[in-house]
Amino acid sequence: MERILNLCDIGFRLKDRMPARELICEMGGIDRVYIGSYFCEQYFLKTSLPVLEWCAAYCRSQGIRMACVVPIPSQRYLDSCKKHLELLKEQYPDLLDMVCVNDPGMLQWAAGRFEKTVLGRLFQKRIRDPRYAETSGNGAFSVSREMRERIGQYRIWGIEIEGIFGSVGKTDRDFCIYSHVGLCYMSCMRECLYASLYRELPARFRTDTECGVECSRYRMKNKIQGGHEIFRIGKGIYFQTGMGTSAPDGADGVILYPQERW
Amino acid sequence: MTGMKILVPLKGEQEIESLQKAGADELYFGFTDEKWQQCFGEYSDINRMSAFKDVANRIPVSRLNDVVARIHSGGMAAYVTLNAPAYTDEELEKLDEYLCMMEKEKPDGVIVSEPSVVRLAAAHHIRPVASTMCGIFNSDIGKYYAGMGVGRMILPREMSLDEIRVMREELPDVELEVFLMRNGCIFADSHCLGMHGREYGSLCKALRTGPFAIAGEIEDFRARHEMEWNIMLFHEQYRKNACGLCALYRLVNMGITAGKIVGRADNPAQVAEDVALVRENLAVAADSSDEEEYLNRMKWPRERYHLCKNGMCCYYPEVRFPLDKAERGRDGYAV
């Protein structure tokens, strides 16, 4: 069972709070570290390299590999995201052997440029809502027709699922299934709730404002019907699953998110 | 200047005539089927608004072809939504049955959410239209869908006019639709996976109105004030409703095929009012020699007092509230 430490949308904050060695040891038995972002191009562009640098020496010394997670780029950031990914790979070829993409455009571009390509959590779009138990707990995961076609076409190494499944099918599978555990992604924003702080009003909540990674200073928690807690980290909206941190039966890896260290 | 079509939601078939009279060119609608729920459960959706039940979808599957025929006889185009976020293999088989049924009175397109439905529609020789659920945020994603035979795409509502212009240039053979009026969502349509159920309402509403707590560096007064002010604006004003009328001149001149009015769950009379308003403004745009003239002559929205404040409810705030260079991102386009 592979253990992946997910520093997406959170690593830049943790970088200033503790040594990477301490965090990675604390999580225990980590085989791979994710850097980048699932939801925000500016976070990806501004933090991937510093977070990678923060982790690199310890990961190298322990034989821990790294992977870069790329968000879905808006048109204005498309070229920058591609260039940045190339830059990261060029600078750390020994560590970065995997890319995690989240949209079909980036999949077409990135597949083949890295040894391993993973279809990120944003490819899985079944409804999940903690207010409706039927949608968010303990069922069996099955790979959709769409996903099977993509896996065959692009020689996909693995796919990601949310930690709301009790089991995954294991039959005749030539790809890995990695399960996020702890927080389940439920929604996301394209505008940023935090980036526009201290700005004049018309400049708030615009997708084209320059940010200072303000999401590393603030986060929010909401309570919704049924007493469920919703976590807003960066542009991501998550809920805590009731499945703990163990992977579903049949999964090949678990993706751990150190949100309690935020 | 080429014409832009007005694409309008249809909740029930009794509204076809009033929407036509108001000036709609194209209607889109979803349908219900009790058998779907029996087969796949209460929380499985045929389209993105299925969970709103008859608040958004009042056309049963048995009326599907008749409604398409009625829309056509009114001289409008008909689009059917099959755009739930995802479908299982079994659900896709059921969609295949619906598409078989549609072959008798073909709609002008089915609005789809994922590539497997694109393929299904194409197999039935019905034109697939990429929904916002496809998340076509950039030209690479657009080219992926275009490569599958999608000739029409709805761009996400968060896209700026400059991004739309680049998409227009990068995808010259694709018809593009953009958001124009009503209901501004605070989350990304394509990746918002909460239920839109009647029991609890939408996730965004629950977050906007429920209790919250802030964590982080908020020790001093100014920091806390800024954060709380931001949240207040976001929860109480930002995209409570939405309008893109001020951008109409630019959108028409870019060659955008259709402007979309959303609101399948809204009051049909108000939707019709918005259709008429867009129709009037399209005429103003056609008759204006430049954008400045259009902006001076255009008809404002009915809810102007609430809508037109600081760009909070603008789909394209850059028209009336452009940012200066320092505030735009490093990859920001010139406005």
Side-chain angles (χ1 to χ4, degrees), chain A residues 145-163:
Chain A
R145 186 190 301 179
E146 186 54 47
M147 200 56 77
R148 284 196 300 274
E149 283 173 15
R150 281 200 175 117
I151 289 165
Q153 189 181 355
Y154 295 102
R155 291 206 215 156
I156 298 300
W157 174 265
I159 66 171
E160 293 181 1
I161 62 172
E162 298 297 326

Side-chain angles (χ1 to χ4, degrees), chain A residues 101-205:
Chain A
V101 297
N102 285 284
D103 69 83
M106 190 55 76
L107 170 61
Q108 278 191 317
W109 183 83
R113 280 182 159 82
F114 285 77
E115 199 180 315
K116 298 172 182 174
T117 304
V118 168
L119 300 180
R121 67 199 313 184
L122 302 199
F123 274 102
Q124 302 290 347
K125 290 165 76 169
R126 290 297 292 182
I127 292 286
R128 67 291 298 262
D129 190 323
R131 299 172 298 175
Y132 300 84
E134 297 86 341
T135 68
S136 60
N138 216 19
F141 171 78
S142 61
V143 183
S144 68
R145 186 190 301 179
E146 186 54 47
M147 200 56 77
R148 284 196 300 274
E149 283 173 15
R150 281 200 175 117
I151 289 165
Q153 189 181 355
Y154 295 102
R155 291 206 215 156
I156 298 300
W157 174 265
I159 66 171
E160 293 181 1
I161 62 172
E162 298 297 326
I164 51 174
F165 298 101
S167 62
V168 301
K170 188 109 183 160
T171 50
D172 294 336
R173 172 149 55 77
D174 58 356
F175 58 92
C176 300
I177 295 182
Y178 300 120
S179 177
H180 287 271
V181 293
L183 294 186
C184 173
Y185 136 70
M186 182 182 183
S187 186
C188 64
M189 303 189 294
R190 297 296 291 186
E191 304 87 346
C192 182
L193 184 58
Y194 313 105
S196 51
L197 293 167
Y198 300 97
R199 288 178 195 269
E200 293 302 313
L201 218 160
R204 292 191 185 231
F205 319 126

Side-chain angles (χ1 to χ4, degrees), chain A residues 13 17 39 41-42 45-46 72-78 80 82 84 102-106 108-109 121-129 131-132 134-135 142-146 148-150 153-154 185-211 216-226 230 232 235 237 262, chain B residues 43-45 48 85-89 91-93 113-116 119-120 133-135 137-141 144-145 158-160 163 166-167 170 185-188 190-195 197-203 206-207 210-218 222-223 226-227 229-231 233-235 238-239 310 312 317-318 321-323 326-333:
Chain A
R13 177 176 177 85
R17 296 168 75 89
F39 302 108
E41 308 97 321
Q42 290 206 54
L45 291 168
K46 288 173 179 173
I72 303 172
S74 304
Q75 182 65 40
R76 72 165 61 80
Y77 293 114
L78 180 60
S80 321
K82 289 176 182 173
H84 195 64
N102 285 284
D103 69 83
M106 190 55 76
Q108 278 191 317
W109 183 83
R121 67 199 313 184
L122 302 199
F123 274 102
Q124 302 290 347
K125 290 165 76 169
R126 290 297 292 182
I127 292 286
R128 67 291 298 262
D129 190 323
R131 299 172 298 175
Y132 300 84
E134 297 86 341
T135 68
S142 61
V143 183
S144 68
R145 186 190 301 179
E146 186 54 47
R148 284 196 300 274
E149 283 173 15
R150 281 200 175 117
Q153 189 181 355
Y154 295 102
Y185 136 70
M186 182 182 183
S187 186
C188 64
M189 303 189 294
R190 297 296 291 186
E191 304 87 346
C192 182
L193 184 58
Y194 313 105
S196 51
L197 293 167
Y198 300 97
R199 288 178 195 269
E200 293 302 313
L201 218 160
R204 292 191 185 231
F205 319 126
R206 300 275 285 259
T207 52
D208 54 353
T209 43
E210 180 77 26
C211 91
S216 291
R217 297 209 304 271
Y218 306 97
R219 72 169 190 173
M220 276 181 69
K221 195 158 73 170
N222 289 67
K223 208 159 239 184
I224 58 171
Q225 298 100 330
I230 299 294
R232 299 167 79 164
K235 292 178 179 173
I237 314 285
W262 188 95
Chain B
Y43 301 111
S44 168
D45 294 343
R48 183 59 179 134
Y87 296 104
T88 63
D89 290 358
E91 288 167 340
L92 287 172
E93 281 172 27
S113 53
E114 58 166 272
S116 49
R119 288 189 201 97
L120 270 185
M133 298 305 293
C134 294
F137 287 103
N138 63 56
S139 51
D140 280 8
I141 303 174
Y144 171 84
Y145 279 100
E158 299 87 356
M159 214 166 233
S160 71
E163 289 180 302
V166 175
M167 293 289 276
E170 292 282 322
C185 187
I186 57 172
F187 297 134
S190 55
H191 292 86
C192 184
L193 304 175
M195 282 289 289
R198 285 177 75 178
E199 300 93 324
Y200 298 119
S202 57
L203 169 69
L207 294 185
F212 64 87
I214 311 164
E217 282 117 38
I218 47 174
R222 182 79 203 279
E226 275 295 317
M227 189 63 195
W229 172 227
N230 227 37
I231 291 167
L233 286 169
F234 195 75
H235 285 182
Y238 183 69
R239 294 272 169 97
N310 287 303
M312 289 290 106
E318 59 268 42
F321 305 97
L323 297 183
E327 285 177 315
R328 293 200 305 270
R330 61 177 158 169
D331 295 282
Y333 300 119

